[in-house]
Amino acid sequence: MTLPNLDRFRAALPASGRLVLCTHRHPDPDGLGALVALQYLLQEEFGLEAELVLEGRIRRAENVAMRQLLGITALPKGGVDPSRYAGVIIVDSQPAFTHTAPPGGLPILGVIDHHLGPEDCSAGGIPFAWVDPDYGATSTMVHDLLDGFGVEPDRRVATALFCGIRYDTNDLARDASVEDERAYERLHKLADRKLVAAIDQPALSRDYFRQMGESIQACMSHGPLLLILMGEVSSPESVAEIADWFVRLEGQQWSLAGGACDGRYQVSLRTDMPGADAYPALRYIIGEEGSCGGHGRMAGGQIPLTELSLEQVRSLVRGRALEVFGLGDQEGQSLVRATRSSAAGD
Ligand SMILES: [Mn+2]
């Protein structure tokens, strides 16, 4: 576990001017929390204005609610004029990840992330590269950065950071370090609990229920592995949500969900095996065709649907998943049919 290097952070910042802060495409609560808190730190401690760039529509109901209820505003797409900004800081992602495209023409001044990545950021000449997979959430890292500078989060910032940590660590139950625990407990006291509850239980669309129905139809079980490889889905976040949902099926240890959206096949891998590491398995499954990141029991990635068709990518993912779990070319059992026949046998 590394602590933030405050001198290095300070040295990476310009003396004046404006900054752009960004995260991965389709930002999640951890990315949003880290952005909001970093923007606050830059203003409060360094007198630097920073604007957010959010790439990809936010569609998961919880994430939409978080953005609306916390009034998180961002520059319009394509709205970054590089001549107006001194540089970019990336949170909860890294420049080498294909789901992250920082605005062009600007130097990357900092990277704050807790994912394992394909490249060592500090080797790329980025002045403040702080990547540490021991953290359960990037929001914890940004909390510790504020704490290091003695900047107390206000209620909005505390609420944003708290949501970031709670969703990335499943309320400290998943991959949480001592640092995550400390930040979570402290922020829980400072956060607006009514807002936290409203963000957690937003209204869900009909489309959401329709898609969950489709995912049940699509689910095939192969020994310890559940494959939910769907066609078109309404959002990349829904793939992560489906993987999270199916990993809760009793007796299963891994769930791999996939779905096509915005010209990419999005894939999420989850496991509930204590101490298991999802990233190496997904790295193998994605192969050279795409990119992925992950930490602990969760990993996500995508394969562009440019050279390969949806069907080709689906069969590639399926084949490699069976291979990496040593399942050969096992047929698999439909979850729905298995459930029906066992119910009929009762
Ligand atoms: Mn995260």
Side-chain angles (χ1 to χ4, degrees):
M1 185 125 264
T2 51
L3 296 174
N5 185 329
L6 304 183
D7 292 335
R8 188 170 282 214
F9 181 75
R10 187 182 285 114
L13 299 177
S16 62
R18 304 162 83 83
L19 295 176
V20 173
L21 311 182
C22 71
T23 182
H24 49 84
R25 201 183 296 124
H26 310 293
D28 59 15
D30 190 30
L32 292 173
L35 287 173
V36 165
L38 187 59
Q39 188 179 35
Y40 185 76
L41 172 68
L42 291 168
Q43 180 68 65
E44 293 294 303
E45 181 69 12
F46 302 95
L48 291 171
E49 294 245 350
E51 284 178 279
L52 312 186
V53 171
L54 300 177
E55 220 207 323
R57 246 179 82 197
I58 299 180
R59 283 172 280 207
R60 186 168 181 160
E62 289 84 347
N63 306 0
V64 171
M66 178 171 175
R67 183 172 178 193
Q68 282 172 350
L69 294 170
L70 292 175
I72 300 173
T73 56
L75 289 170
K77 199 172 185 299
V80 180
D81 170 2
S83 68
R84 293 188 59 231
Y85 299 92
V88 187
I89 300 178
I90 301 172
V91 298
D92 201 37
S93 189
Q94 295 168 43
F97 293 174
T98 55
H99 69 336
T100 302
L106 287 171
I108 297 169
L109 303 178
V111 171
I112 305 172
D113 188 29
H114 69 134
H115 295 94
L116 268 177
E119 271 172 38
D120 180 4
C121 275
S122 52
I126 295 169
F128 182 76
W130 183 26
V131 174
D132 188 343
D134 287 338
Y135 283 87
T138 301
S139 290
T140 302
M141 300 172 80
V142 178
H143 166 270
D144 288 4
L145 198 56
L146 264 76
D147 202 31
F149 285 108
V151 173
E152 173 97 353
D154 66 10
R155 180 170 274 225
R156 173 175 176 268
V157 170
T159 306
L161 285 174
F162 180 75
C163 288
I165 301 171
R166 76 173 303 201
Y167 290 113
D168 257 33
T169 67
N170 193 14
D171 282 303
L172 301 180
R174 179 180 60 209
D175 307 322
S177 64
V178 177
E179 294 298 310
D180 295 301
E181 233 172 88
R182 197 179 71 93
Y184 180 99
E185 302 296 350
R186 175 163 178 254
L187 293 165
H188 188 232
K189 294 194 180 76
L190 299 172
D192 183 329
R193 293 185 196 172
K194 285 212 172 90
L195 275 192
V196 170
I199 290 167
D200 197 48
Q201 298 282 324
L204 299 168
S205 66
R206 279 169 188 274
D207 194 46
Y208 172 90
F209 286 96
R210 186 191 48 73
Q211 193 163 283
M212 285 318 220
E214 282 174 13
S215 71
I216 295 173
Q217 297 297 326
C219 183
M220 298 293 285
S221 75
H222 301 260
L225 175 68
L226 288 172
L227 286 180
I228 314 104
L229 300 178
M230 315 205 12
E232 291 286 334
V233 293
S234 61
S235 74
E237 301 101 303
S238 65
V239 174
E241 203 166 356
I242 288 164
D244 283 335
W245 198 40
F246 280 94
V247 82
R248 293 172 59 186
L249 180 69
E250 58 182 1
Q252 294 295 338
Q253 289 168 321
W254 295 84
S255 76
L256 179 70
C261 193
D262 301 338
R264 296 175 194 87
Y265 199 71
Q266 196 75 29
V267 183
S268 288
L269 181 63
R270 300 288 186 266
T271 177
D272 57 7
M273 274 172 71
D277 196 355
Y279 177 70
L282 192 62
R283 182 67 264 163
Y284 181 83
I285 293 164
I286 297 275
E288 294 298 307
E289 285 79 7
S291 78
C292 65
H295 59 92
R297 291 184 263 169
M298 53 206 294
Q302 56 282 125
I303 297 176
L305 292 168
T306 39
E307 272 151 43
L308 296 172
S309 70
L310 170 57
E311 262 332 299
Q312 286 171 319
V313 169
R314 216 162 23 170
S315 92
L316 186 85
V317 167
R318 180 181 177 275
R320 287 200 189 133
L322 294 178
E323 210 179 306
V324 79
F325 287 97
L327 299 164
D329 197 27
Q330 211 195 74
E331 262 303 306
Q333 254 197 329
S334 158
L335 180 68
V336 183
R337 251 178 286 138
T339 308
R340 275 192 195 137
S341 56
S342 78
D346 282 347

